[in-house]
C-alpha cells in the first residue's frame, strides 16, 4: 500500500463553494467515474464527496463482485494504507492518556528490533526509522499465500540491518507501522482495532472491520489484470499481512466522517490533529512532506492532507482540503490502473477550481530507461529473459500472466515513446522507477518498476497497466 502522486490535484486558492452539488455537477461525477471504469477495465468504484463540511455525495458504480449484481455505497472496501493515519491517531491518543510518548524508543516496548534503542515511535509513524519495508511490491508475493502475524513480519524484516540511520532519510515502510501497532497494543492493553472501535469508530458512527474478514459473498471482491489482458478475480492474501499498516475496511462515506472530524478538529484534541499533519524534517533539515500517517502540504495556496492505499485487489485515495471543508474519497476493487487517482483528481477539479498541471520530471536516467524499454519489448513479444527478474517477480510471472502480457501488449504494435515519469526513489531496499508508454493512436500505458540497486539490479517488479 502505498502513497500516490498529487500532480493531478494542483489547485488555486479560492473561497469555499456552496455545499450541495448541483444536478449538473452530480451528472459530471457520474460521467467521470463511468468513463474511467470503462477505459481502465476496473470493475467498480465507490465515491464520497464532502463539501461545506458535510457529505454531499455518496455513490457506488459497476460490479463489486461476481455475486453482487448492483453496487451500493454502504459496502466496505479494503482501504489498506489509508489505515495508517488511524494507527497514528491511536498512538497520539495513548500519549494523551499518559501511556507512552512518541519520543519513546522502540526498544522500550519491543525487544530485538535492529537499533531499536535509536528509533523513536515518531520515526516509525513518519517513515524515517530506517526499517526496511516488507511489501514494496504492487502484487502479492509468494510468502503472502501463507498466514502471518505481526511478530512474524518483525522477525523477518525488522531484524535486518537498517536501510539508513534513523532520521536521516525518508523511505515508506509498512514494517515500521507493524511495529507501531504492536507498541499501541502493549500500551492500550487490548488489540489495536478494539481500541480504535472504542475511541474513534463508535464515537464517529463509523462501521469499520478487519480487512481480513471483509471477504466472501457480501463484500466487494478484488480484481487484477496482467498488462492489458482480461480482468481476473484476485486471490486475497492470507491473513495477517497488513495489521496496523493497512488492516481496515470501511465504506467511502465512513471514511468521509473521519475527514469531517479532521476539518472540524473534533474527536481528537486540536494539537493531535496538528501533530499528525505537521511534516517531519530529516536531520539534514530537509522536509519529508509526510507527517504521522498522512502526506500534507500546500498546492498553489490550498492546504491538503492526503493518503492512498493498496491492498491485494484494491486501490483507494483520500484527499482532504481542510480550509475549504472539502474532501474526496475514491475506492476501487482493482489493483491495476490509475483510475482511482484520475477520478479523485477530476472530482477535485470539479468541486474546486484547477490550476495548471505541473510539468513532468525530465528523464535523467537514460540507461535505466533504455533497459526498461528492452524488458517491456520482451514482455510484449513473449521473450522475457527471466534472469533480469528476482525470484519474487518470476513467481508473479506465471504462464497465464506472461500470456496475457504477450497477447494484450503485442497487438498494440511498437510504442512511439517510453519515458521516465518522475525521479527514481528508494523503497523496501529497491529503486522505484515509473515510465509512461505512448502510442501513435494516443493510447498510454504506465510501467511501475522496482529494481535492486546498482547498474545491473534485477527487477523485483515490472508491471504494465493502463494510464488515465
Amino acid at each position: 500500500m502505498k502513497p500516490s502522486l498529487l500532480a493531478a490535484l494542483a489547485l488555486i486558492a479560492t473561497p469555499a463553494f456552496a455545499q450541495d452539488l448541483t444536478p449538473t455537477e452530480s451528472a459530471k461525477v457520474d460521467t467521470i467515474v463511468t468513463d474511467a471504469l470503462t477505459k481502465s477495465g476496473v470493475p467498480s468504484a465507490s465515491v464520497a464527496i464532502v463539501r461545506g463540511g458535510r457529505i454531499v455525495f455518496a455513490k457506488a458504480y459497476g460490479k463489486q463482485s461476481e455475486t453482487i449484481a448492483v453496487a451500493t455505497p454502504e459496502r466496505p472496501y479494503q482501504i489498506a494504507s489509508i489505515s495508517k493515519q488511524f494507527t497514528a491517531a491511536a498512538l497520539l491518543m495513548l500519549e494523551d492518556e499518559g501511556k507512552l510518548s512518541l519520543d519513546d524508543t522502540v526498544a522500550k516496548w519491543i525487544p530485538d528490533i535492529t537499533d531499536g534503542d535509536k528509533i523513536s515511535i515518531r520515526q516509525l509513524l513518519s517513515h524515517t526509522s530506517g526499517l526496511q519495508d516488507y511489501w514494496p511490491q504492487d502484487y502479492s508475493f509468494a510468502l503472502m499465500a501463507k498466514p502471518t502475524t505481526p511478530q512474524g513480519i518483525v522477525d523477518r524484516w525488522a531484524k535486518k540491518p537498517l536501510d539508513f540511520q534513523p532520521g536521516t532519510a525518508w523511505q515508506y515502510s509498512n514494517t515500521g507501522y507493524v511495529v507501531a501497532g504492536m507498541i499501541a497494543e502493549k500500551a492500550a492493553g487490548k488489540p489495536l482495532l478494539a481500541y480504535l472501535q472504542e475511541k474513534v469508530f463508535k464515537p464517529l458512527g463509523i462501521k469499520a472491520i478487519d480487512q481480513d474478514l471483509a471477504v466472501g459473498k457480501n463484500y466487494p471482491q478484488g480484481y487484477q489484470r496482467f498488462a492489458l489482458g482480461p480482468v481476473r478475480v484476485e486471490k486475497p492474501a492470507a491473513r495477517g499481512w497488513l495489521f496496523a499498516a493497512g488492516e481496515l475496511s470501511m465504506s467511502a462515506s465512513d471514511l468521509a466522517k473521519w475527514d469531517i472530524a479532521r476539518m472540524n478538529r473534533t474527536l481528537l484534541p486540536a494539537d493531535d490533529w496538528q501533530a499528525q499533519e505537521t511534516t517531519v524534517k530529516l536531520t539534514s533539515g530537509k522536509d519529508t512532506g509526510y507527517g504521522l500517517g498522512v502526506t500534507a502540504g500546500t498546492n498553489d495556496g490550498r492546504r491538503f492532507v492526503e493518503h492512498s492505499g493498496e491492498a491485494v485487489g484494491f486501490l483507494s485515495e483520500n484527499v482532504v482540503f481542510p480550509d475549504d471543508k472539502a474532501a474526496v474519497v475514491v475506492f476501487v476493487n482493482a489493483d491495476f490502473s490509475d483510475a482511482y487517482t484520475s477520478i479523485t483528481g477530476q472530482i477535485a477539479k470539479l468541486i474546486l477550481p484547477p490550476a495548471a498541471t505541473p510539468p513532468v520530471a525530465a528523464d535523467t536516467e537514460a540507461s535505466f530507461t533504455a533497459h526498461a524499454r528492452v524488458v517491456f519489448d520482451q514482455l510484449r513479444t513473449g521473450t522475457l529473459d527471466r534472469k533480469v527478474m528476482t525470484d519474487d517477480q518470476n513467481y508473479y510471472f506465471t504462464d497465464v500472466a506472461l500470456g496475457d502480457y504477450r497477447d494484450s501488449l503485442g497487438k498494440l504494435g511498437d510504442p512511439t515513446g517510453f519515458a521516465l515519469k518522475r525521479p527514481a526513489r528508494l523503497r523496501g531496499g529497491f529503486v522505484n522507477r515509473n515510465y509512461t508508454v505512448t502510442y501513435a493512436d494516443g493510447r498510454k500505458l504506465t510501467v511501475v518498476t522496482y529494481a535492486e540497486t546498482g547498474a545491473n539490479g534485477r527487477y523485483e517488479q515490472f508491471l504494465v497497466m493502463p494510464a488515465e
Side-chain angles (χ1 to χ4, degrees):
M1 235 300 359
K2 323 236 169 163
S4 68
L5 296 177
L6 288 168
L9 300 178
L11 305 167
I12 60 172
T14 59
F17 274 27
Q19 293 184 5
D20 293 323
L21 296 189
T22 66
T24 299
E25 288 173 327
S26 294
K28 180 61 175 176
V29 172
D30 289 344
T31 299
I32 288 169
V33 178
T34 55
D35 283 356
L37 297 186
T38 299
K39 289 168 63 178
S40 67
V42 169
S44 83
S46 188
V47 175
I49 300 172
V50 175
R51 192 155 68 172
R54 64 184 182 88
I55 299 171
V56 295
F57 186 94
K59 189 172 181 178
Y61 304 78
K63 182 175 73 172
Q64 290 179 317
S65 81
E66 297 300 297
T67 59
I68 302 174
V70 179
T72 59
E74 295 80 17
R75 296 189 187 276
Y77 285 60
Q78 297 179 23
I79 69 169
S81 283
I82 293 176
S83 304
K84 286 181 169 67
Q85 59 199 275
F86 293 101
T87 299
L91 285 156
L92 284 162
M93 289 187 287
L94 288 165
E95 184 175 54
D96 294 338
E97 295 169 16
K99 294 180 178 179
L100 54 75
S101 167
L102 294 194
D103 296 317
D104 286 346
T105 64
V106 168
K108 179 177 178 179
W109 293 94
I110 307 292
D112 302 325
I113 302 293
T114 300
D115 289 336
D117 59 336
K118 300 177 182 177
I119 301 170
S120 70
I121 297 174
R122 191 181 305 277
Q123 289 169 332
L124 296 175
L125 300 180
S126 60
H127 298 303
T128 57
S129 69
L131 291 172
Q132 188 173 102
D133 185 15
Y134 71 86
W135 192 18
Q137 304 92 336
D138 292 320
Y139 61 91
S140 179
F141 57 91
L143 285 175
M144 295 177 75
K146 297 179 181 179
T148 192
T149 63
Q151 189 62 52
I153 292 172
V154 164
D155 288 343
R156 189 175 184 91
W157 281 277
K159 297 181 181 180
K160 289 185 173 185
L162 298 183
D163 282 349
F164 52 84
Q165 288 300 303
T168 63
W170 187 93
Q171 189 179 150
Y172 197 82
S173 176
N174 289 296
T175 309
Y177 266 80
V178 169
V179 176
M182 294 172 70
I183 293 172
E185 292 195 336
K186 280 194 172 184
K190 63 182 66 175
L192 175 60
L193 185 51
Y195 182 82
L196 287 170
Q197 293 284 10
E198 174 189 345
K199 300 290 186 178
V200 176
F201 301 140
K202 288 182 180 178
L204 292 178
I206 292 173
K207 296 178 181 178
I209 61 174
D210 186 333
Q211 66 97 24
D212 284 340
L213 304 179
V215 296
K217 64 180 182 179
N218 294 322
Y219 296 97
Q221 190 170 28
Y223 291 82
Q224 66 173 339
R225 193 179 186 188
F226 301 119
L228 304 185
V231 176
R232 301 177 183 274
V233 173
E234 175 72 286
K235 181 181 178 181
R239 292 191 175 189
W241 278 98
L242 287 177
F243 183 48
E247 71 175 334
L248 299 175
S249 286
M250 64 181 67
S251 71
S253 292
D254 279 328
L255 183 55
K257 294 174 185 177
W258 169 253
D259 292 342
I260 292 169
R262 179 182 300 281
M263 298 169 193
N264 295 334
R265 296 313 203 222
T266 57
L267 187 72
L268 303 182
D271 60 346
D272 282 355
W273 290 113
Q274 187 60 42
Q276 185 170 78
E277 297 168 9
T278 300
T279 55
V280 172
K281 290 184 171 58
L282 303 177
T283 53
S284 65
K286 180 180 178 181
D287 195 324
T288 64
Y290 196 92
L292 306 179
V294 294
T295 298
T298 301
N299 280 328
D300 292 334
R302 174 169 279 122
R303 199 160 61 90
F304 68 84
V305 181
E306 180 272 345
H307 214 285
S308 63
E310 179 178 3
V312 178
F314 292 86
L315 291 165
S316 51
E317 178 63 68
N318 183 44
V319 59
V320 183
F321 304 97
D323 300 332
D324 297 281
K325 304 292 186 182
V328 182
V329 182
V330 177
F331 300 159
V332 300
N333 63 338
D335 58 12
F336 61 87
S337 170
D338 57 2
Y340 70 118
T341 52
S342 174
I343 292 169
T344 304
Q346 291 181 73
I347 292 175
K349 291 176 181 180
L350 176 67
I351 66 172
L352 298 167
T357 303
V360 177
D363 185 349
T364 58
E365 298 186 322
S367 62
F368 289 109
T369 299
H371 186 257
R373 170 62 193 269
V374 168
V375 176
F376 177 83
D377 287 339
Q378 290 176 354
L379 285 169
R380 70 186 182 89
T381 57
T383 58
L384 179 64
D385 179 5
R386 288 187 176 272
K387 294 192 297 295
V388 304
M389 302 292 176
T390 65
D391 290 342
D392 276 332
Q393 184 69 129
N394 278 318
Y395 169 82
Y396 171 85
F397 275 124
T398 62
D399 290 343
V400 170
L402 288 173
D404 284 356
Y405 268 69
R406 180 195 63 236
D407 295 344
S408 65
L409 299 179
K411 64 185 180 184
L412 299 179
D414 293 332
T416 56
F418 192 100
L420 188 71
K421 290 181 70 173
R422 63 164 184 252
R425 60 186 182 186
L426 290 173
R427 183 174 174 196
F430 300 101
V431 182
N432 166 229
R433 296 180 178 89
N434 295 351
Y435 302 93
T436 297
V437 187
T438 53
Y439 290 86
D441 62 1
R443 187 191 297 267
K444 292 184 179 181
L445 304 177
T446 296
V447 178
V448 182
T449 74
Y450 285 87
E452 296 170 329
T453 57
N456 299 310
R458 298 174 300 166
Y459 289 105
E460 174 73 4
Q461 170 173 306
F462 198 105
L463 304 187
V464 181
M465 59 194 68
E468 275 293 313

